[in-house]
Amino acid sequence: MRHCNARQRGDRAKRWYQQRAQCGHRAPSATTSQPVAQPLLATGEGCRPATHRRQYFISTVKIAFYSGFLVTSPFLLTQLTIYIIPGLNKGEKSLILPLLLGSTLLFFFSLIFSYFILIPAALNFFISYGESVIEPLWSFNQYFDFILVLFYTTGLAFQIPIFQIIIGIVGIISGKQMLEYWKYVILI
Protein backbone atom coordinates (compact mmCIF):
# COMPACT_ATOMS: atom_id res chain seq x y z
CA MET A 1 0.00 0.00 0.00
CA ARG A 2 1.33 3.40 -0.78
CA HIS A 3 1.67 6.10 1.81
CA CYS A 4 -0.24 9.33 1.28
CA ASN A 5 -1.00 12.33 3.44
CA ALA A 6 -4.40 13.76 4.27
CA ARG A 7 -4.24 16.40 1.54
CA GLN A 8 -3.54 13.82 -1.18
CA ARG A 9 -6.40 11.66 0.10
CA GLY A 10 -8.68 14.68 0.13
CA ASP A 11 -7.69 15.63 -3.43
CA ARG A 12 -8.27 12.07 -4.67
CA ALA A 13 -11.65 11.92 -2.96
CA LYS A 14 -12.62 15.32 -4.39
CA ARG A 15 -11.70 14.20 -7.92
CA TRP A 16 -13.63 10.94 -7.44
CA TYR A 17 -16.78 12.78 -6.34
CA GLN A 18 -16.44 15.30 -9.17
CA GLN A 19 -16.16 12.46 -11.70
CA ARG A 20 -19.26 10.86 -10.21
CA ALA A 21 -21.17 14.14 -10.50
CA GLN A 22 -20.11 14.54 -14.14
CA CYS A 23 -21.34 11.01 -14.90
CA GLY A 24 -24.81 11.80 -13.58
CA HIS A 25 -24.53 10.12 -10.19
CA ARG A 26 -26.42 11.78 -7.40
CA ALA A 27 -26.07 11.76 -3.64
CA PRO A 28 -28.03 9.17 -1.63
CA SER A 29 -31.58 10.06 -0.76
CA ALA A 30 -32.01 11.65 2.66
CA THR A 31 -35.16 9.63 3.28
CA THR A 32 -33.60 6.17 2.96
CA SER A 33 -30.23 5.63 4.54
CA GLN A 34 -29.18 9.09 5.72
CA PRO A 35 -29.98 8.43 9.43
CA VAL A 36 -28.05 5.15 9.34
CA ALA A 37 -25.08 6.77 7.60
CA GLN A 38 -25.03 9.80 9.89
CA PRO A 39 -22.28 8.50 12.26
CA LEU A 40 -20.01 7.78 9.29
CA LEU A 41 -20.71 11.17 7.75
CA ALA A 42 -19.91 12.82 11.10
CA THR A 43 -16.38 11.40 10.94
CA GLY A 44 -15.74 13.41 7.78
CA GLU A 45 -15.39 10.35 5.57
CA GLY A 46 -18.36 11.25 3.36
CA CYS A 47 -20.16 8.93 0.95
CA ARG A 48 -18.63 5.54 0.37
CA PRO A 49 -17.85 3.91 -2.95
CA ALA A 50 -20.10 1.10 -4.13
CA THR A 51 -18.47 -2.14 -5.20
CA HIS A 52 -21.27 -3.05 -7.62
CA ARG A 53 -24.29 -1.30 -9.12
CA ARG A 54 -27.04 -2.80 -7.00
CA GLN A 55 -25.18 -2.53 -3.68
CA TYR A 56 -27.00 0.64 -2.59
CA PHE A 57 -30.41 -0.82 -3.42
CA ILE A 58 -29.67 -4.09 -1.63
CA SER A 59 -28.29 -2.15 1.33
CA THR A 60 -31.45 -0.05 1.63
CA VAL A 61 -33.59 -3.21 1.52
CA LYS A 62 -31.39 -4.74 4.24
CA ILE A 63 -31.70 -1.54 6.27
CA ALA A 64 -35.47 -1.66 6.00
CA PHE A 65 -35.64 -5.35 6.95
CA TYR A 66 -33.21 -5.24 9.87
CA SER A 67 -34.52 -1.92 11.17
CA GLY A 68 -38.04 -3.31 11.12
CA PHE A 69 -36.91 -6.43 12.93
CA LEU A 70 -34.86 -4.40 15.41
CA VAL A 71 -37.69 -2.03 16.29
CA THR A 72 -40.48 -4.62 16.36
CA SER A 73 -38.67 -7.39 18.23
CA PRO A 74 -39.64 -6.03 21.69
CA PHE A 75 -43.25 -5.76 20.55
CA LEU A 76 -43.20 -9.30 19.17
CA LEU A 77 -41.85 -10.49 22.51
CA THR A 78 -44.63 -8.56 24.25
CA GLN A 79 -47.28 -10.20 22.07
CA LEU A 80 -45.80 -13.62 22.74
CA THR A 81 -45.83 -12.91 26.47
CA ILE A 82 -49.45 -11.70 26.36
CA TYR A 83 -50.34 -14.97 24.64
CA ILE A 84 -48.59 -16.99 27.36
CA ILE A 85 -49.86 -14.99 30.39
CA PRO A 86 -53.27 -16.71 30.70
CA GLY A 87 -51.49 -20.01 31.39
CA LEU A 88 -49.37 -18.59 34.22
CA ASN A 89 -50.29 -18.48 37.90
CA LYS A 90 -50.52 -15.21 39.83
CA GLY A 91 -46.94 -15.34 41.17
CA GLU A 92 -45.47 -15.96 37.71
CA LYS A 93 -47.54 -13.13 36.24
CA SER A 94 -46.23 -10.70 38.83
CA LEU A 95 -42.65 -11.64 37.87
CA ILE A 96 -42.92 -11.73 34.11
CA LEU A 97 -44.54 -8.34 33.48
CA PRO A 98 -41.78 -6.26 35.18
CA LEU A 99 -39.14 -8.38 33.42
CA LEU A 100 -40.82 -7.77 30.07
CA LEU A 101 -41.04 -4.03 30.66
CA GLY A 102 -37.43 -3.90 31.89
CA SER A 103 -36.21 -5.94 28.94
CA THR A 104 -37.95 -3.67 26.44
CA LEU A 105 -36.61 -0.52 28.07
CA LEU A 106 -33.08 -1.92 28.27
CA PHE A 107 -33.23 -2.90 24.61
CA PHE A 108 -34.24 0.59 23.49
CA PHE A 109 -31.61 2.16 25.78
CA SER A 110 -29.03 -0.10 24.15
CA LEU A 111 -30.03 1.17 20.70
CA ILE A 112 -29.72 4.78 21.84
CA PHE A 113 -26.37 4.06 23.50
CA SER A 114 -25.09 2.30 20.37
CA TYR A 115 -26.18 5.01 17.96
CA PHE A 116 -25.04 8.07 19.89
CA ILE A 117 -22.01 6.83 21.87
CA LEU A 118 -20.62 3.47 20.75
CA ILE A 119 -20.81 3.76 16.96
CA PRO A 120 -19.16 7.20 16.67
CA ALA A 121 -16.37 6.14 19.03
CA ALA A 122 -15.81 2.85 17.20
CA LEU A 123 -15.81 4.55 13.78
CA ASN A 124 -13.35 7.20 14.90
CA PHE A 125 -11.07 4.50 16.26
CA PHE A 126 -11.17 2.23 13.20
CA ILE A 127 -10.90 5.08 10.70
CA SER A 128 -8.01 6.79 12.49
CA TYR A 129 -6.16 3.59 13.40
CA GLY A 130 -3.28 3.23 10.98
CA GLU A 131 -4.42 6.16 8.86
CA SER A 132 -0.82 7.26 8.31
CA VAL A 133 -0.06 3.86 6.78
CA ILE A 134 -3.21 2.90 4.88
CA GLU A 135 -6.28 4.66 3.58
CA PRO A 136 -9.43 3.26 5.20
CA LEU A 137 -12.10 2.68 2.56
CA TRP A 138 -15.36 1.11 3.66
CA SER A 139 -18.14 0.30 1.29
CA PHE A 140 -21.63 1.17 2.45
CA ASN A 141 -22.37 -2.55 2.81
CA GLN A 142 -19.36 -3.10 5.11
CA TYR A 143 -20.35 -0.05 7.12
CA PHE A 144 -23.93 -1.26 7.51
CA ASP A 145 -22.82 -4.74 8.58
CA PHE A 146 -20.54 -3.16 11.17
CA ILE A 147 -23.39 -1.00 12.52
CA LEU A 148 -25.72 -3.99 12.60
CA VAL A 149 -23.28 -6.09 14.62
CA LEU A 150 -22.83 -3.25 17.11
CA PHE A 151 -26.60 -2.75 17.50
CA TYR A 152 -27.40 -6.41 18.11
CA THR A 153 -24.43 -7.19 20.36
CA THR A 154 -25.09 -4.11 22.48
CA GLY A 155 -28.76 -5.09 22.68
CA LEU A 156 -27.78 -8.53 23.95
CA ALA A 157 -25.26 -7.07 26.39
CA PHE A 158 -27.94 -4.83 27.88
CA GLN A 159 -30.10 -7.91 28.47
CA ILE A 160 -27.58 -9.49 30.88
CA PRO A 161 -29.40 -8.15 33.99
CA ILE A 162 -32.65 -9.71 32.77
CA PHE A 163 -30.88 -13.05 32.19
CA GLN A 164 -29.38 -12.84 35.68
CA ILE A 165 -32.78 -12.21 37.25
CA ILE A 166 -34.34 -15.13 35.37
CA ILE A 167 -31.48 -17.47 36.28
CA GLY A 168 -31.81 -16.39 39.93
CA ILE A 169 -35.59 -16.87 39.98
CA VAL A 170 -35.40 -20.29 38.36
CA GLY A 171 -32.74 -21.28 40.89
CA ILE A 172 -29.95 -22.25 38.52
CA ILE A 173 -27.53 -19.86 40.23
CA SER A 174 -28.05 -18.05 43.53
CA GLY A 175 -27.35 -14.37 44.10
CA LYS A 176 -24.32 -15.28 46.22
CA GLN A 177 -22.85 -17.34 43.37
CA MET A 178 -23.47 -14.49 40.93
CA LEU A 179 -21.51 -12.14 43.16
CA GLU A 180 -18.64 -14.64 43.26
CA TYR A 181 -18.55 -14.92 39.44
CA TRP A 182 -19.28 -11.29 38.47
CA LYS A 183 -15.87 -10.97 36.77
CA TYR A 184 -16.75 -13.73 34.32
CA VAL A 185 -20.12 -12.16 33.51
CA ILE A 186 -18.43 -8.86 32.68
CA LEU A 187 -15.89 -10.71 30.54
CA ILE A 188 -18.63 -12.46 28.59
Side-chain angles (χ1 to χ4, degrees):
M1 301 218 143
R2 90 179 178 188
H3 177 72
C4 60
N5 63 27
R7 182 182 170 127
Q8 290 171 333
R9 282 196 309 267
D11 291 342
R12 266 196 315 213
K14 187 176 179 183
R15 282 194 309 272
W16 186 80
Y17 290 118
Q18 287 173 347
Q19 290 170 351
R20 283 183 52 123
Q22 289 172 354
C23 296
H25 293 103
R26 61 183 181 85
S29 170
T31 59
T32 54
S33 63
Q34 191 72 18
V36 175
Q38 195 62 38
L40 183 64
L41 296 173
T43 63
E45 288 294 309
C47 298
R48 307 309 312 152
T51 55
H52 54 81
R53 291 181 186 259
R54 52 188 194 275
Q55 178 180 359
Y56 184 70
F57 174 74
I58 291 171
S59 294
T60 54
V61 171
K62 281 173 57 176
I63 289 171
F65 176 76
Y66 286 119
S67 298
F69 183 73
L70 196 69
V71 171
T72 60
S73 60
F75 300 111
L76 294 173
L77 182 62
T78 303
Q79 291 299 315
L80 179 67
T81 306
I82 289 172
Y83 177 75
I84 294 172
I85 282 180
L88 302 175
N89 62 31
K90 193 171 188 175
E92 292 169 339
K93 286 180 188 178
S94 66
L95 290 174
I96 202 146
L97 292 178
L99 286 176
L100 179 66
L101 179 63
S103 177
T104 303
L105 288 174
L106 283 173
F107 187 75
F108 282 119
F109 284 141
S110 75
L111 296 180
I112 292 168
F113 174 78
S114 291
Y115 188 75
F116 290 108
I117 296 171
L118 184 63
I119 291 172
L123 284 175
N124 283 331
F125 172 76
F126 285 120
I127 288 172
S128 65
Y129 182 77
E131 125 180 281
S132 63
V133 179
I134 62 169
E135 182 178 359
L137 288 177
W138 287 16
S139 69
F140 186 76
N141 200 25
Q142 291 170 326
Y143 166 74
F144 176 69
D145 290 340
F146 175 73
I147 297 284
L148 188 68
V149 166
L150 285 181
F151 272 145
Y152 280 107
T153 54
T154 307
L156 285 174
F158 272 57
Q159 297 301 314
I160 288 176
I162 301 298
F163 295 139
Q164 289 177 322
I165 291 170
I166 292 171
I167 288 172
I169 290 172
V170 173
I172 297 173
I173 298 175
S174 68
K176 186 178 178 183
Q177 290 173 322
M178 284 188 212
L179 286 175
E180 290 175 12
Y181 298 115
W182 69 271
K183 296 175 188 174
Y184 302 110
V185 172
I186 290 177
L187 181 66
I188 292 173

Coordinates of all heavy atoms in Angstrom, one line a residue, residues 65-108:
F65 N -35.3 -4.1 6.3 CA -35.6 -5.4 6.9 C -35.1 -5.4 8.4 O -35.8 -5.7 9.3 CB -35.1 -6.5 6.1 CG -35.3 -7.9 6.8 CD1 -36.5 -8.5 6.8 CD2 -34.2 -8.5 7.4 CE1 -36.7 -9.7 7.4 CE2 -34.4 -9.7 8.0 CZ -35.7 -10.3 8.0
Y66 N -33.8 -5.1 8.5 CA -33.2 -5.2 9.9 C -33.7 -4.2 10.8 O -33.8 -4.4 12.0 CB -31.7 -5.2 9.8 CG -31.1 -6.5 9.3 CD1 -30.4 -6.5 8.1 CD2 -31.3 -7.7 9.9 CE1 -29.9 -7.7 7.6 CE2 -30.8 -8.9 9.5 CZ -30.1 -8.9 8.3 OH -29.6 -10.1 7.8
S67 N -34.0 -3.0 10.3 CA -34.5 -1.9 11.2 C -35.9 -2.3 11.6 O -36.3 -2.1 12.8 CB -34.6 -0.6 10.4 OG -33.3 -0.2 10.1
G68 N -36.7 -2.8 10.7 CA -38.0 -3.3 11.1 C -38.0 -4.4 12.2 O -38.7 -4.4 13.1
F69 N -37.1 -5.4 12.0 CA -36.9 -6.4 12.9 C -36.4 -5.9 14.3 O -36.9 -6.3 15.3 CB -36.0 -7.5 12.4 CG -35.8 -8.7 13.3 CD1 -36.8 -9.6 13.4 CD2 -34.6 -8.9 14.0 CE1 -36.7 -10.7 14.3 CE2 -34.5 -9.9 14.9 CZ -35.5 -10.9 15.0
L70 N -35.5 -5.0 14.2 CA -34.9 -4.4 15.4 C -35.9 -3.7 16.2 O -36.0 -3.8 17.4 CB -33.7 -3.5 15.0 CG -32.7 -3.0 16.0 CD1 -31.9 -4.2 16.5 CD2 -31.8 -2.0 15.5
V71 N -36.7 -2.9 15.6 CA -37.7 -2.0 16.3 C -38.9 -2.9 16.8 O -39.4 -2.6 17.8 CB -38.1 -0.9 15.4 CG1 -39.3 -0.1 16.0 CG2 -37.0 0.1 15.2
T72 N -39.3 -3.9 16.0 CA -40.5 -4.6 16.4 C -40.2 -5.8 17.2 O -41.1 -6.4 17.8 CB -41.2 -5.1 15.1 OG1 -40.4 -6.0 14.3 CG2 -41.7 -4.0 14.3
S73 N -39.0 -6.2 17.4 CA -38.7 -7.4 18.2 C -39.2 -7.3 19.7 O -39.7 -8.2 20.2 CB -37.2 -7.7 18.2 OG -36.4 -6.7 18.7
P74 N -39.0 -6.1 20.4 CA -39.6 -6.0 21.7 C -41.2 -6.2 21.7 O -41.8 -6.8 22.6 CB -39.2 -4.7 22.2 CG -38.0 -4.3 21.4 CD -38.2 -4.9 20.1
F75 N -41.8 -5.7 20.6 CA -43.2 -5.8 20.6 C -43.7 -7.2 20.2 O -44.7 -7.7 20.7 CB -43.8 -4.8 19.5 CG -43.5 -3.3 19.8 CD1 -42.6 -2.6 19.1 CD2 -44.0 -2.7 20.9 CE1 -42.2 -1.3 19.4 CE2 -43.7 -1.4 21.3 CZ -42.8 -0.7 20.5
L76 N -42.9 -7.9 19.4 CA -43.2 -9.3 19.2 C -43.1 -10.1 20.4 O -43.9 -11.0 20.7 CB -42.3 -9.8 18.1 CG -42.5 -9.3 16.7 CD1 -41.4 -9.8 15.7 CD2 -43.9 -9.6 16.1
L77 N -42.0 -9.8 21.2 CA -41.8 -10.5 22.5 C -43.0 -10.2 23.4 O -43.5 -11.1 24.2 CB -40.5 -10.1 23.1 CG -40.2 -10.7 24.5 CD1 -40.0 -12.2 24.3 CD2 -38.9 -10.1 25.0
T78 N -43.5 -8.9 23.4 CA -44.6 -8.6 24.2 C -45.9 -9.3 23.8 O -46.6 -9.8 24.7 CB -44.9 -7.1 24.1 OG1 -43.7 -6.3 24.5 CG2 -46.1 -6.6 25.0
Q79 N -46.1 -9.5 22.5 CA -47.3 -10.2 22.1 C -47.2 -11.7 22.4 O -48.2 -12.3 22.8 CB -47.4 -10.0 20.6 CG -47.8 -8.6 20.1 CD -49.2 -8.2 20.7 OE1 -50.1 -9.0 20.7 NE2 -49.2 -7.0 21.2
L80 N -46.0 -12.2 22.3 CA -45.8 -13.6 22.7 C -46.1 -13.8 24.2 O -46.7 -14.8 24.7 CB -44.4 -14.1 22.4 CG -44.0 -15.5 22.8 CD1 -44.8 -16.5 22.0 CD2 -42.5 -15.7 22.6
T81 N -45.6 -12.8 25.0 CA -45.8 -12.9 26.5 C -47.3 -12.8 26.8 O -47.8 -13.5 27.7 CB -45.0 -11.8 27.2 OG1 -43.7 -12.0 26.8 CG2 -45.1 -11.9 28.7
I82 N -48.0 -11.9 26.1 CA -49.4 -11.7 26.4 C -50.2 -13.0 26.0 O -51.2 -13.3 26.7 CB -50.0 -10.5 25.6 CG1 -49.4 -9.2 26.2 CG2 -51.5 -10.5 25.5 CD1 -49.7 -7.9 25.4
Y83 N -49.7 -13.7 25.0 CA -50.3 -15.0 24.6 C -50.1 -16.0 25.7 O -51.0 -16.8 26.0 CB -49.8 -15.4 23.3 CG -50.3 -16.8 22.8 CD1 -51.6 -16.9 22.3 CD2 -49.5 -17.9 22.9 CE1 -52.0 -18.1 21.9 CE2 -49.9 -19.1 22.5 CZ -51.2 -19.2 22.0 OH -51.7 -20.5 21.6
I84 N -48.9 -16.0 26.4 CA -48.6 -17.0 27.4 C -49.2 -16.7 28.7 O -49.5 -17.6 29.5 CB -47.0 -17.1 27.5 CG1 -46.5 -17.7 26.2 CG2 -46.6 -18.0 28.6 CD1 -45.0 -17.7 26.1
I85 N -49.4 -15.4 29.1 CA -49.9 -15.0 30.4 C -51.1 -15.7 30.9 O -51.1 -16.1 32.1 CB -50.1 -13.5 30.4 CG1 -48.7 -12.8 30.5 CG2 -50.9 -13.0 31.6 CD1 -48.7 -11.3 30.6
P86 N -52.1 -16.0 30.1 CA -53.3 -16.7 30.7 C -52.9 -18.1 31.3 O -53.6 -18.6 32.2 CB -54.2 -16.9 29.5 CG -53.9 -15.7 28.6 CD -52.4 -15.6 28.8
G87 N -51.9 -18.7 30.9 CA -51.5 -20.0 31.4 C -50.6 -19.9 32.6 O -50.3 -21.0 33.2
L88 N -50.2 -18.7 33.1 CA -49.4 -18.6 34.2 C -50.2 -18.4 35.5 O -51.3 -17.9 35.4 CB -48.4 -17.4 34.0 CG -47.5 -17.4 32.8 CD1 -46.7 -16.1 32.7 CD2 -46.6 -18.6 32.9
N89 N -49.6 -18.8 36.6 CA -50.3 -18.5 37.9 C -50.0 -17.0 38.3 O -49.2 -16.3 37.7 CB -49.9 -19.5 39.0 CG -48.4 -19.4 39.3 OD1 -47.8 -18.4 39.2 ND2 -47.9 -20.6 39.7
K90 N -50.6 -16.6 39.4 CA -50.5 -15.2 39.8 C -49.1 -14.8 40.2 O -48.7 -13.7 39.8 CB -51.4 -15.0 41.0 CG -51.7 -13.5 41.3 CD -52.7 -13.4 42.4 CE -53.1 -11.9 42.5 NZ -54.2 -11.7 43.4
G91 N -48.3 -15.7 40.8 CA -46.9 -15.3 41.2 C -46.1 -15.2 39.9 O -45.2 -14.3 39.9
E92 N -46.3 -16.1 38.9 CA -45.5 -16.0 37.7 C -45.8 -14.7 36.9 O -45.0 -14.1 36.3 CB -45.7 -17.2 36.9 CG -45.1 -18.5 37.5 CD -45.6 -19.7 36.8 OE1 -46.6 -19.7 36.1 OE2 -44.9 -20.8 36.9
K93 N -47.1 -14.4 36.9 CA -47.5 -13.1 36.2 C -46.9 -11.9 36.9 O -46.5 -11.0 36.1 CB -49.1 -13.0 36.3 CG -49.8 -13.9 35.4 CD -51.3 -13.7 35.5 CE -52.1 -14.7 34.8 NZ -53.5 -14.5 35.0
S94 N -46.8 -11.9 38.2 CA -46.2 -10.7 38.8 C -44.7 -10.6 38.6 O -44.2 -9.5 38.7 CB -46.5 -10.7 40.3 OG -45.8 -11.8 40.9
L95 N -44.1 -11.7 38.2 CA -42.7 -11.6 37.9 C -42.4 -11.3 36.4 O -41.5 -10.6 36.1 CB -42.0 -13.0 38.2 CG -41.8 -13.3 39.7 CD1 -41.3 -14.7 39.8 CD2 -40.9 -12.3 40.3
I96 N -43.2 -11.8 35.5 CA -42.9 -11.7 34.1 C -43.2 -10.3 33.5 O -42.5 -9.9 32.7 CB -43.6 -12.8 33.3 CG1 -42.9 -13.0 32.0 CG2 -45.1 -12.5 33.0 CD1 -42.9 -14.4 31.5
L97 N -44.2 -9.7 34.0 CA -44.5 -8.3 33.5 C -43.5 -7.3 33.8 O -43.1 -6.6 32.8 CB -45.9 -7.9 34.0 CG -47.1 -8.7 33.5 CD1 -48.4 -8.2 34.0 CD2 -47.1 -8.7 31.9
P98 N -42.9 -7.2 35.0 CA -41.8 -6.3 35.2 C -40.5 -6.6 34.4 O -39.8 -5.8 33.9 CB -41.5 -6.3 36.7 CG -42.7 -6.9 37.3 CD -43.3 -7.7 36.3
L99 N -40.3 -8.0 34.2 CA -39.1 -8.4 33.4 C -39.3 -8.0 32.0 O -38.4 -7.6 31.3 CB -38.9 -9.9 33.5 CG -38.4 -10.4 34.8 CD1 -38.3 -11.9 34.8 CD2 -37.0 -9.8 35.1
L100 N -40.5 -8.1 31.5 CA -40.8 -7.8 30.1 C -40.6 -6.3 29.9 O -40.0 -5.8 28.9 CB -42.2 -8.2 29.7 CG -42.7 -7.9 28.3 CD1 -41.8 -8.7 27.3 CD2 -44.1 -8.2 28.1
L101 N -41.2 -5.5 30.8 CA -41.0 -4.0 30.7 C -39.6 -3.6 30.8 O -39.1 -2.8 30.0 CB -41.9 -3.3 31.7 CG -41.8 -1.8 31.7 CD1 -42.4 -1.2 30.4 CD2 -42.5 -1.3 32.9
G102 N -38.9 -4.2 31.7 CA -37.4 -3.9 31.9 C -36.6 -4.3 30.7 O -35.7 -3.6 30.3
S103 N -36.9 -5.5 30.1 CA -36.2 -5.9 28.9 C -36.4 -5.0 27.7 O -35.5 -4.7 27.0 CB -36.7 -7.4 28.6 OG -36.1 -7.8 27.4
T104 N -37.6 -4.6 27.5 CA -37.9 -3.7 26.4 C -37.2 -2.3 26.6 O -36.6 -1.8 25.7 CB -39.5 -3.5 26.3 OG1 -40.1 -4.7 26.2 CG2 -39.8 -2.6 25.2
L105 N -37.3 -1.8 27.8 CA -36.6 -0.5 28.1 C -35.1 -0.6 27.9 O -34.4 0.2 27.3 CB -36.9 0.0 29.5 CG -38.4 0.5 29.7 CD1 -38.6 0.9 31.1 CD2 -38.6 1.7 28.8
L106 N -34.5 -1.7 28.4 CA -33.1 -1.9 28.3 C -32.7 -2.1 26.8 O -31.6 -1.6 26.4 CB -32.6 -3.1 29.1 CG -32.5 -3.0 30.6 CD1 -32.2 -4.3 31.2 CD2 -31.4 -2.0 30.9
F107 N -33.5 -2.7 26.0 CA -33.2 -2.9 24.6 C -33.2 -1.6 23.9 O -32.3 -1.3 23.1 CB -34.2 -3.9 24.0 CG -33.9 -4.2 22.6 CD1 -32.9 -5.1 22.3 CD2 -34.6 -3.7 21.5 CE1 -32.6 -5.4 21.0 CE2 -34.3 -4.0 20.2 CZ -33.3 -4.9 19.9
F108 N -34.2 -0.7 24.1 CA -34.2 0.6 23.5 C -33.1 1.5 24.0 O -32.5 2.3 23.2 CB -35.6 1.2 23.6 CG -36.6 0.7 22.7 CD1 -37.8 0.1 23.2 CD2 -36.4 0.7 21.3 CE1 -38.7 -0.5 22.3 CE2 -37.4 0.2 20.4 CZ -38.5 -0.4 20.9

